[in-house]
Structures are given as structure tokens and as C-alpha cells.
Amino acid sequence: MTRYMIIRLGQGILALIVGTILVFGLARLTGNPLDLMLPETATPEQRQQMAEYLGLDKPIYQQYFVFIGNAAKGDFGRSLFFYRPVTQIIFERLPATLELGGTAMLFSMLVAIPVGVYAAVKREKWQDSILKVFAIFGQSVPSFWLGIMLILVFAVSLRWLPAGGYGRFDEHLILPALTVSTFSIAGFLRLTRSAMLDTLSTDYVRLARIKGLKERYVIWKHGLRNALIPVITFTGFVLVNAFMGSVIVEAVFAWPGIGQLSYQALLWRDFPLIQGILVFSVALFVLVNLAIDILYVYLDPRVRFTRD
Amino acid sequence: MKDLETMGGPRGDSDTKMEVSDALKTTRKKKGKRMGFGWRFYLPALILAAFVLVAIFADFIAPHNPVKNHLADSLTPPFWQEGAKAEYLLGTDQMGRDILSRLIYGARTSLIVAALGVFLTGIVGTILGVLAGYKGGWVDAVISRAIDVIQGFPLFLVALVLAIVLGASLFNIILIITIMFWVGYARQARAETLQIRESAYVELARIAGCRDFTIAVRHVIPNLLNSIIVIATLGVGSVILLESGLSFLGAGIPPPTPSWGSMCADGRSILTTAWWVSFLPGVAIMAVVLSGNLLGDWLRDKLDPKLRDL
Amino acid sequence: MAGSKDDILLRVTGLKTYFFVRRGTVKAVDGVNFYIKRGEVLGIVGESACGKSVTGLSLLRLVPDPPGKIVGGHIFLEGEDLLLKSEEEMRKLRGSKITMIQQNPDSSLNPVFRIGNQVAEAISLHQELKDKALHNKVVEILGLVNIPSPEARMRDYPHQMSGGMRQRVAGAIALSCQANLLIADEPTTNLDVTTQAEYLKLLEEVQKVTGCAIIFITHDFGIVSKICTRVAVMYAGKIVEAGPTIDIMQKPRHPYTFALLDSVPKLGSRGTLLRTIEGQPPEPVDLPPSCAFAVRCPMAKDRCFKENPEEVRIDDNHYVSCFHVE
């Protein structure tokens, strides 16, 4: 098992390195910051001064190492627009995104997994067919449109909920969370269903029935426990996307999270901030995957005790 | 006596005979649905066909010029509301542009993006996947690493970054789509190539002295086609969702070209008074994406059920 | 018929289990009759896909549905027809009256639970035992199936054990159920020969201890000759010959039985070609009414291609379905 963990760790670090290189290169592409920060009338000497100040006169690979060095210390420089340290800004916005993403994910799993089990049990019957269609629908709705429509119905027409902004969790959180959840509910539903179908047709599930175990236990104790393994992998994917990818939803609902921050940063070509956000998401991705790998060890004894 | 339906209970020989033929009759009905082209095929296929036709013949179908402003008639509601005008079937937006025409031309935009996007991504992804699977070694290592890394990035965020960095244009959108989505095809292609590579007839071909390239084209690719087609059909939906999301944020197809995503964005500010401006394009998006997904699902059931997990 | 009617534990008449799939109706079990007495060991022999496993599953009513269904016949266990029972009644019978050992030891144990746990589950379903007593019982049963250091092995996961050990655990689970009827579905097929022999001995001991009847499903006549007192030969969903093992092995009456026995390599036949049966068993989909073996039968006549032979009684206990016997 330790060998497995070491390999995973190594892969994670590799991904981190590649990711940061990509981010570094990408951020440079957004446009030469010199042009952004200096008026057109600046003299070459002034440009040279600014370049030195920003460290842009050094060769590119040196710039990269400076970047990495600082990044490891958590220093991504100052945001060009906010004039504050990038790290500070990111961490300010983080709770809002966590709240939205976390709630959405929890909600999705709580709803989708039992329903997925149900669909698998009722395989090929009408309940299963309806749920399958539901799931496909869920994956076909454009999230921005869903958000707008929810606002239309619940905020504008019915006036039950606010149209956007950040505030009370039982008011402002509901619509955005619902919007974000829709896609992942559909995904979890299909995955759980298919994993359960696989599990329920195995010999060991049949063994549970042969023993005379009540069907309820057969499904939940023997079936789901095994089916959860592939579902957990998907959780990682959803997590990263939920935390970092809800740019659209945050835009629609004016939710002050990292998604919205990213969009602003991009519009203003605030490249330290962009860099910071991207590196942050790479790091998050690596961490989440490692966490899932660790979780795997507990879930699947075959991993735990493999003799390499 | 308990309900005997589930086990076709034995009630004597003659009853048993009837049981069997009844069971066979229900199977024939079920078989017809499973084998053939049920509504699960026709509905999405029809919608997609309509979509393609509308997009191609936009010039002939659209009643108005999609970018022409008729300010006097702005914010006209669609035909089923009061205050509607006959010449603008689905109403107009705040600039007085006819929604129906914009939807029609928007279909063209979406079609181009979807078709080119899926096509290019499919080719690039499949080629890379086959390369990785067939050659193995460092080629495989590099490509596999790339797949892993790209898979982990939050899709939309990266696409957005690329869109803004590269600038909004049709070409860039297609480029971005290719960069983000080739992974799905490559993964599948690689996995299947690995399998096929070990199969008997490939061994024979190699022994017979065929060059790698020939083997790849004549043996590997035809077998991949099934799953690639499924992935491609399912991919149509993802591509359109991505493009419309980017357009919604203003990072996609630039105006004045009508795009369903940007149409939704246009309608945001007038949501309370003119909800149809945002509502209708979204319905269009959903219809096409849904059809793509339904059709892809149907294809998968028919061609290769093992892909169920995608 | 030998023996009094009272010791017949299970009698199956006209059992039909069909699978309704895309390409047609697969008549996996098509009108099967047999019986087994208490404490007896009955073998069901046949090639792959002849329906023997499905027969076993049908007895437990665990045929996967969809696409399978038991469409006809009767299964009388201690006089009661199992096909008339409700699912809940059936569930109570499973384990307590009938149990099964499955074919593939790699997949028949749940990979995420320790084996002690899995055995304990079986025990607690049929006996009122808890905590310490339960623990001791698990150790006892594991010992009965010759698993060394049961206290320690209890905490193992299935993948940490060898195939032979896993089948023993499966045997332990079957033992815990204390059933009267054990269906062993090719339990030794995936084991090597030495392990096979050990396992057979184990089954014999289990039988002595519990007095259960065993239906031993296999494709290997060699095994049949070792432990089965009676045997039924299946082909394409039907039983073509059934009777005491000794009789059948010495004087097989059905051409298929004859060919099967003939194809077993015998000592002393070195240097001669192995005998095989020409052709392949038919896909049991949409079969026409004829003797299913006719196509490969060296003695086939016209009639064999047009009608299905009925069961003919040869001796006390010996039944054959073949036109040539009449």
C-alpha cells in the first residue's frame, strides 16, 4: 500500500509541475502586462524600469523559478486591479464558493445515490425508464439558462426567493445551489445506477441471496458498498468542478465566489490574479485526487493489501 | 394463493402451455421495441434533422434579417401572448430584432461549432489515442500523462481562460473545444487499441509483414468506429453547452453573429418584462443537446453497451 | 422405484426455465424431471450451456429475471411445491433448507468484507447466536472445512486467500446454513487437480456430518464416478439419461452419454487419438422439435429429426430419452 501511495504522490507532484508550467505560460499569453500598466507615452527607460520591477527582464525560465519559489510560499504577487496580495483575495472569496459547491455536492449525493440505487433495483421497469430520462434531461440543461429561469419563477414571479447576491443560506443559497446540483445529480444518478447494476449481477450478491438475507440488506449492504467505489472517483471530478467551475452560476446569481473573481480577473487582464487562481485550482485538483486515493484504500481492501 | 405473475406459476399442463405462448407474445412486443427504431431513436433524430435543415437553409426560412433592428417594434411578445404581432412569430428583443430569425441563424452557428468541433476533436483524439495504444513506450506515456492532467482541470474555467486569452472568435472557439475535448476520444481509442493490438488477426497481419500504419488503418480503426461514433454523438451536446456558456459570458462567438448563448445573456436585463428573450434560446439549446444525448444513448445501446459508464 | 417414497427430499417435474433475450427465446431448461433422496448425492452432468447451472438456480428461484423466467413445472421440496411460494417464503427457505456453492471462487465472495464476517452473517441468519458464541461458531466451522488457524484467517479478505481456500469458505458458508439440500455448481472446475481431490473429500465429510443431500453439477464424469450415487445427463436443456452411476457408466444407453464417457482419456490409451464428439452443442435458441442431439448422433434416423423422444424406463431407476431404446 505504501508503494501505491508513493506512486500516487509522485503523479500528483508531476501534475502540479506540469500544471504550473501551463499556467505560467498561459498567463503570459494574456497580454504583456507592461502594455497594461503603462500609458502609451511611456519612454523606453520607464518601460525598462517597470520591467525590472516586475521581474520581466529576466530570461523566461528564471521567471518561472521565481514564480514557483514564490508560489510555494503562497505569494502570488499583488492583484493589478485590487492592489492587494492575490492570496488574500482568493482566500476572501473562497468561503462563498465552498459554501455553494459544498452544499450542491452534498445535496446531489444525498438525492442521487439512493435514487440511483432505486433505479437499478427497478431495472427496465417504468420507474427506471423515467429516471433515466430525468438524468439525461439533467445533463442537457444549460446551467445559465436554468439559473435564469429559476430566478424568473421564484424571484420575479413568486417572489419567494431573492434574485441573487450573497446572504442567508436558506434564501440566497437555494437557487444557485439547485442550479449547480442539477448537472451533478444527473451524473451521480447514472453512475450509481450503472455501478449498482454491475454489482447486483455478481456472484457474491447472489451468495447473499442464497444465504437467505433480506433483500434490503442484499441491496444496501452487499450491493451499494461495492458500487460506491466507482462513484467516489466521480465525486472527485464533481468536487473540482463545483469548486472552480461555477463561473457561470456565480455570474448569473452574482455570487461573490472564486468563479466570479476569475471572470473579473480575466476581463481586466489581471494576470497575477489569474495565475494565482489557476495554480490554486491545479493544487486543489491534485489534493482532491490524493484524498480520493486515500479514501480508496479504506473502501477497497484489495488496494490495501496488494502485495506488489 | 399469492400472486403468481413473477414466476409464471404452474397451474397444470395446459395452463403451462398458454403461459409459454403468452410469455413469447410479450417478448415479441418487447423485442420489437428493443431491436428496432423506437421513439427513442425517432424523436431525437427528427429534432436533430430539423436542426441541421434549419441551419443549412436559414437564408430561406428566416422571415427577417437577424441583425436588423426594428426599434419601433422592440420587445414584442411571442404569438401566444397578447400584444403579439404577426410578423414576429416569437417576438422581438430590446433592439427590435426578430427572435425567430435569430434562433434560426443561431442554429447555423451552433451547427458549425458542433460539427467542426466534434469532427476535429474526434480526429485528433482518435489519432492520438491509437498512437498511444499502438506504439506504447514513451509516446503512450506522454499522451497518457496529458490525458490525466487535462482531465483534472475544471473544464469551463480553463475554456474561459483560453477564450479570453485568445480572443473571441469562431476559430478560437473551435480550437478551444478541440483542446478540451480530445481527451474523451483518446482515452477510449487507446483502451480499445490496446485490446485489439493483442488480438489474433493483428498478430497475423504483423507476421505477414504489414506495416504498422496499414494495420492501424485497416484493422484497428474500423473496430473503434462504433465507440467513437457514440462518443461523438454524445459530444455534440457537451460542445454546444460549452459554446453557449462561453457566449453567454461574452467570451464566445462575438456579436453580431447570433448565438443562442449570447441571446440568453441579452435577455437578462429585461427578464421581468420580456422573459421570452432569454427563455426561447435556452429551449433551443436544450432541445438540441437533449436530442444529441438521447441519440447517443440509443446508439450506445445498439452498438456497444459496454460504454454504459460514460 | 427403489426406496420408499418417504425419503424423497426433492422431486422436480417438467421444469422449464426460459430466457427471453434479443435473439430469441433460450430454452435453457426444457422439461426436466428428476428426484433426489435424503442424504443422496446426485450428479448432473453435461457440457457447457446444457442447462445444468440454470437448473440449480431454478431450484433456488434465483434465476436472473429479466431475462429469465421459470415458465412451467413443479419443484416439490419435502412435498411442497416451491413454485407456488411467495418470495418471502422462498427467502426463508433459502439457506435453511436449500443452499448453493457457486462455481467461481474468485467472484463468489464479497471482496470488501472479511471472510469471518461473511461466515458469521450466514450463521446468524439461521441460528440465534451473538458476540462470543457467534465468534466461536465461526472458528468452529472454519475448522470443519480444514482452514488452518481459523482465528487468524477470519480477519482475512477474500483476495488474500487462494482459490482453494475460498471455495472452502464457500463450503463453510453452506455448512452454516444447515440446509437439507446442497447444490454444488461445478465447485471444483476452477481448481487444480490436487485441490479438487481435497475439496471432494471435504464435501463428503460435510455430507456425513450434516446428512444433507447434494446435487453435484459438473461436466466431469470422473468426479461423478467418485462421489455420486446417481447421475443425470443433460443435453440442450433436457435430461437424456438418468440412473445409478454404476449402471450408466458401465452400460450407457443414450448415444450422448456413450460419447461423453468415451471421450474421457483413459489410462492405457496412450498414443491413441482422443475421442471427441463431432460438432457443437446447439445454441438453445428457437430449437425445432426434434431430438437435440440428432445432428451429432452417429445413430440418428429420420424420426430423430422430426420428434422429441419421450422418457423410457429401462430398469428400476434408469431412464433414457432416445428412440433407439424403444
Side-chain angles (χ1 to χ4, degrees):
Chain A
M1 176 185 86
T2 23
R3 193 176 127 157
Y4 166 77
M5 289 308 303
I6 292 179
I7 294 182
R8 284 314 208 204
L9 200 61
Q11 283 179 339
I13 294 181
L14 186 63
L16 204 55
I17 294 178
V18 174
T20 45
I21 294 181
L22 284 174
V23 168
F24 181 75
L26 211 56
R28 289 279 174 287
L29 283 177
T30 59
N32 195 336
L34 281 178
D35 298 323
L36 288 172
M37 295 184 67
L38 294 171
E40 284 179 7
T41 52
T43 63
E45 292 88 23
Q46 285 172 320
R47 287 182 77 91
Q48 178 68 13
Q49 260 187 336
M50 190 52 119
E52 273 177 31
Y53 173 66
L54 288 176
L56 291 172
D57 55 335
K58 300 206 188 70
I60 205 104
Y61 57 87
Q62 262 198 332
Q63 287 188 42
Y64 176 69
F65 282 117
V66 170
F67 168 65
I68 290 283
N70 286 335
K73 284 185 270 166
D75 174 19
F76 288 94
R78 288 174 169 277
S79 155
L80 296 176
F81 191 79
F82 292 104
Y83 291 130
R84 282 188 293 138
V86 164
T87 332
Q88 192 187 74
I89 303 177
I90 292 182
F91 277 99
E92 257 173 30
R93 301 288 197 115
L94 197 54
T97 297
L98 281 177
E99 201 181 315
L100 181 58
T103 313
M105 203 186 79
L106 266 163
F107 179 66
S108 309
M109 290 179 79
L110 280 171
V111 168
I113 293 183
V115 174
V117 172
Y118 181 70
V121 169
K122 293 281 179 197
R123 179 191 189 169
E124 307 278 336
K125 303 213 180 78
W126 65 268
Q127 296 101 324
D128 182 27
S129 300
I130 290 191
L131 284 170
K132 270 198 283 195
V133 172
F134 236 26
I136 295 189
F137 246 92
Q139 288 181 313
S140 309
V141 185
S143 48
F144 54 87
W145 182 78
L146 180 63
I148 294 180
M149 290 302 121
L150 284 176
I151 291 181
L152 186 62
V153 171
F154 290 98
V156 175
S157 300
L158 294 172
R159 294 196 178 275
W160 284 353
L161 295 168
Y166 184 68
R168 301 167 44 117
F169 75 90
D170 54 347
E171 278 179 10
H172 293 87
L173 185 57
I174 296 187
L175 290 181
L178 219 57
T179 312
V180 175
S181 310
T182 306
F183 206 83
S184 45
I185 287 184
F188 273 118
L189 187 75
R190 300 185 74 174
L191 187 57
T192 310
R193 176 183 174 276
S194 107
M196 277 303 283
L197 283 178
D198 279 339
T199 326
L200 288 179
S201 60
T202 54
D203 281 350
Y204 56 81
V205 162
R206 189 185 281 163
L207 180 65
R209 292 198 175 113
I210 290 175
K211 290 182 196 170
L213 199 56
K214 281 209 183 112
E215 188 67 9
R216 203 173 56 217
Y217 286 101
V218 174
I219 295 176
W220 295 95
K221 179 177 174 192
H222 288 265
L224 185 59
R225 181 69 178 67
N226 279 277
L228 274 180
I229 295 176
V231 173
I232 294 292
T233 327
F234 186 64
T235 308
F237 175 74
V238 170
L239 249 172
V240 178
N241 264 288
F243 284 0
M244 307 263 51
S246 46
V247 180
I248 294 182
V249 176
E250 290 192 9
V252 169
F253 288 94
W255 188 265
I258 297 199
Q260 200 196 52
L261 185 67
S262 323
Y263 186 48
Q264 289 169 336
L266 284 166
L267 285 180
W268 300 324
R269 302 288 192 273
D270 188 346
F271 98 156
L273 190 52
I274 296 174
Q275 251 182 2
I277 294 178
L278 285 176
V279 171
F280 187 74
S281 48
V282 173
L284 185 68
F285 160 62
V286 170
L287 270 166
V288 165
N289 272 308
L290 272 176
I292 296 215
D293 287 335
I294 296 181
L295 199 57
Y296 243 72
V297 169
Y298 282 107
L299 280 185
D300 190 350
R302 286 168 288 194
V303 171
R304 215 188 301 177
F305 293 110
T306 319
R307 304 156 229 181
D308 317 274
Chain B
M1 190 118 23
K2 301 285 176 162
D3 184 15
L4 301 171
E5 250 177 61
T6 39
M7 39 115 190
R11 299 171 215 124
D13 274 310
S14 53
D15 297 298
T16 317
K17 279 211 196 95
M18 280 208 296
E19 272 301 325
V20 175
S21 60
D22 277 331
L24 285 172
K25 262 195 227 126
T26 23
T27 327
R28 242 168 255 134
K29 248 197 300 174
K30 271 194 249 174
K31 230 168 81 170
K33 275 193 198 151
R34 267 190 269 185
M35 280 308 287
F37 300 84
W39 69 270
R40 288 181 66 213
F41 170 76
Y42 285 123
L43 181 63
L46 240 53
I47 295 182
L48 285 176
F51 164 66
V52 172
L53 287 173
V54 164
I56 295 180
F57 295 108
D59 300 311
F60 302 102
I61 305 182
H64 295 270
N65 183 332
V67 299
K68 180 143 188 261
N69 300 338
H70 309 104
L71 286 165
D73 294 319
S74 63
L75 297 184
T76 320
F79 68 89
W80 62 84
Q81 303 246 101
E82 43 168 290
K85 298 201 181 122
E87 42 192 319
Y88 309 109
L89 257 180
L90 290 176
T92 60
D93 64 11
Q94 63 264 59
M95 306 288 281
R97 295 177 292 198
D98 177 37
I99 304 262
L100 179 60
S101 309
R102 284 176 68 77
L103 281 179
I104 291 176
Y105 276 92
R108 176 177 282 186
T109 315
S110 299
L111 178 64
I112 295 178
V113 172
L116 280 178
V118 167
F119 185 66
L120 280 171
T121 324
I123 292 194
V124 170
T126 311
I127 292 182
L128 285 176
V130 172
L131 256 175
Y134 201 76
K135 289 283 183 189
W138 64 269
V139 174
D140 184 11
V142 168
I143 296 185
S144 291
R145 283 296 121 241
I147 293 180
D148 283 338
V149 172
I150 293 188
Q151 256 184 210
F153 278 92
L155 174 71
F156 191 76
L157 186 60
V158 177
L160 187 60
V161 170
L162 287 171
I164 295 197
V165 158
L166 298 170
S169 79
L170 181 62
F171 175 77
N172 288 337
I173 298 293
I174 307 255
L175 186 64
I176 293 171
I177 290 173
T178 313
I179 295 178
M180 302 305 308
F181 285 123
W182 69 268
V183 173
Y185 300 88
R187 229 182 5 189
Q188 184 68 24
R190 176 179 175 276
E192 288 204 23
T193 307
L194 281 175
Q195 273 190 327
I196 298 178
R197 194 177 64 168
E198 307 307 318
S199 68
Y201 56 92
V202 169
E203 283 291 322
L204 282 174
R206 245 190 257 144
I207 295 175
C210 279
R211 289 170 57 225
D212 280 345
F213 181 68
T214 332
I215 297 182
V217 170
R218 292 189 60 212
H219 294 285
V220 176
I221 303 242
N223 282 285
L224 288 178
L225 236 39
N226 276 358
S227 23
I228 298 297
I229 289 182
V230 172
I231 298 182
T233 315
L234 292 172
V236 168
S238 314
V239 167
I240 293 188
L241 281 177
L242 182 66
E243 179 268 315
S244 53
L246 288 174
S247 300
F248 176 80
L249 290 178
I253 312 287
T257 322
S259 150
W260 291 340
S262 47
M263 285 171 75
C264 282
D266 289 339
R268 271 191 79 189
S269 42
I270 43 172
L271 203 55
T272 37
T273 44
W275 55 270
W276 59 89
V277 181
S278 285
F279 177 72
L280 294 169
V283 173
I285 297 176
M286 207 168 86
V288 175
V289 174
L290 188 61
S291 304
N293 285 342
L294 281 174
L295 193 62
D297 229 38
W298 179 87
L299 270 173
R300 173 176 47 207
D301 280 345
K302 299 236 19 161
L303 294 178
D304 195 349
K306 281 173 284 176
L307 292 173
R308 212 175 19 169
D309 295 330
L310 281 173
Chain C
M1 208 173 300
S4 68
K5 288 236 165 90
D6 299 7
D7 15 5
I8 290 185
L9 175 65
L10 177 82
R11 179 191 293 284
V12 175
T13 57
L15 181 63
K16 292 191 174 120
T17 306
Y18 294 172
F19 285 80
F20 302 99
V21 290
R22 245 177 232 200
R23 43 199 178 112
T25 308
V26 179
K27 297 186 182 164
V29 180
D30 197 14
V32 152
N33 308 307
F34 63 90
Y35 70 90
I36 185 169
K37 295 197 240 174
R38 286 184 200 281
E40 209 184 6
V41 180
L42 169 74
I44 300 189
V45 198
E47 290 168 286
S48 317
C50 67
K52 47 195 203 297
S53 286
V54 180
T55 307
L57 285 177
S58 305
L59 296 180
L60 280 161
R61 279 179 55 186
L62 282 179
V63 178
D65 177 6
K69 255 182 166 49
I70 302 179
V71 296
H74 304 268
I75 301 176
F76 294 104
L77 180 68
E78 295 178 330
E80 292 182 9
D81 190 352
L82 293 184
L83 294 180
L84 293 178
K85 298 217 175 268
S86 71
E87 182 54 35
E88 179 62 15
E89 285 169 342
M90 202 59 216
R91 182 191 71 79
K92 295 215 182 85
L93 286 178
R94 285 185 203 122
S96 56
K97 288 268 157 73
I98 330 179
T99 187
M100 185 184 217
I101 295 181
Q102 298 182 85
Q103 184 172 347
N104 192 343
D106 296 331
S107 57
S108 57
L109 292 174
N110 195 328
V112 301
F113 295 126
R114 298 180 207 267
I115 59 132
N117 192 323
Q118 300 190 47
V119 176
E121 190 184 45
I123 298 176
S124 55
L125 276 171
H126 304 283
Q127 297 175 48
E128 288 287 326
L129 288 175
K130 293 221 170 102
D131 310 321
K132 198 78 180 116
L134 184 57
H135 175 96
N136 291 338
K137 193 79 182 163
V138 172
V139 174
E140 183 193 321
I141 292 196
L142 286 179
L144 269 176
V145 294
N146 292 336
I147 288 186
S149 349
E151 288 258 15
R153 300 319 298 253
M154 260 178 79
R155 297 184 49 78
D156 280 353
Y157 286 97
H159 71 274
Q160 293 174 284
M161 297 179 134
S162 69
M165 289 261 255
R166 275 179 278 195
Q167 277 301 53
R168 287 169 189 277
V169 174
I173 292 180
L175 253 183
S176 328
C177 296
Q178 302 185 318
N180 309 1
L181 176 61
L182 168 67
I183 305 172
D185 187 359
E186 300 210 57
T188 55
T189 305
N190 289 330
L191 302 175
D192 62 84
V193 178
T194 340
T195 323
Q196 234 176 48
E198 284 172 15
Y199 199 77
L200 287 179
K201 261 221 313 248
L202 181 66
L203 278 184
E204 281 181 322
E205 281 171 30
V206 163
Q207 211 220 353
K208 282 201 203 96
V209 167
T210 60
C212 65
I214 303 184
I215 295 182
F216 201 105
I217 300 177
T218 179
H219 60 266
D220 187 345
F221 249 116
I223 296 184
V224 166
S225 64
K226 287 203 197 106
I227 68 170
C228 304
T229 42
R230 287 174 46 240
V231 64
V233 181
M234 268 189 91
Y235 188 79
K238 296 191 172 58
I239 293 186
V240 296
E241 185 163 6
T245 315
I246 298 186
D247 288 353
I248 290 195
M249 291 191 71
Q250 285 179 341
K251 278 188 317 190
R253 301 301 293 267
H254 194 283
Y256 177 63
T257 320
F258 182 82
L260 257 188
L261 286 167
D262 205 31
S263 62
V264 176
K266 302 176 225 341
L267 274 181
S269 61
R270 252 174 79 173
T272 56
L273 278 173
L274 279 180
R275 300 265 185 97
T276 55
I277 312 179
E278 270 187 33
Q280 295 272 13
E283 286 254 23
V285 185
D286 301 326
L287 289 171
S290 70
C291 172
F293 188 62
V295 187
R296 305 162 78 189
C297 185
M299 309 196 324
K301 299 214 177 70
D302 254 357
R303 193 179 173 200
C304 302
F305 290 96
K306 300 210 188 87
E307 294 168 40
N308 233 322
E310 294 276 322
E311 252 178 25
V312 171
R313 182 175 153 173
I314 301 190
D315 276 333
D316 257 358
N317 235 332
H318 195 157
Y319 290 80
V320 188
S321 299
C322 179
F323 290 125
H324 291 279
V325 171
E326 285 161 7

